[in-house]
Amino acid sequence: WETVQKLLCYPNGKFWLAFAKRRVPATIEFFLQKAEDFGFQYSLVSESGHIEEDTEEEEEDCNSHIKDAAGADEVFVYVFKWDCTRTSVP
């Protein structure tokens, strides 16, 4: 998150990240908490390759292979941005 802080333009920068559950010690909850600790807010925009917004069917088909390609049970795509409601950014 220190790198993202350094590179992301304040206040309008956005950072997209895909998280796949694997057998590793890092959980999504830990990762999202660290994002908040470093001054970011986030929202889930896609789960297992299915975009939450309205998209063309062709785009959805292209994204639907994310689950299989990743070899994971689920893939979560988040967008992170600066939390401008905080009085100071770390």
Side-chain angles (χ1 to χ4, degrees):
W1 286 112
E2 292 169 345
T3 302
V4 175
Q5 273 186 322
K6 210 55 143 165
L7 298 175
L8 198 62
C9 295
Y10 185 86
N12 299 320
K14 291 183 180 176
F15 174 71
W16 292 74
L17 179 122
F19 184 92
K21 290 185 177 182
R22 301 271 179 153
R23 292 187 176 122
V24 295
T27 64
I28 188 63
E29 291 81 11
F30 173 81
F31 187 78
L32 296 174
Q33 181 58 54
K34 283 295 179 187
E36 289 179 349
D37 294 347
F38 277 86
F40 298 100
Q41 56 181 243
Y42 57 87
S43 58
L44 178 66
V45 294
S46 174
E47 184 174 340
S48 294
H50 300 288
I51 305 298
E52 299 295 328
E53 303 170 357
D54 291 333
T55 59
E56 294 180 15
E57 188 173 314
E58 184 177 316
E59 286 181 293
E60 214 169 291
D61 290 341
C62 291
N63 290 326
S64 65
H65 72 282
I66 292 173
K67 177 181 176 189
D68 297 331
D73 293 332
E74 296 177 272
V75 175
F76 302 90
V77 179
Y78 289 88
V79 62
F80 295 85
K81 61 184 181 177
W82 289 106
D83 185 352
C84 296
T85 63
R86 293 174 67 151
T87 53
S88 66
V89 176

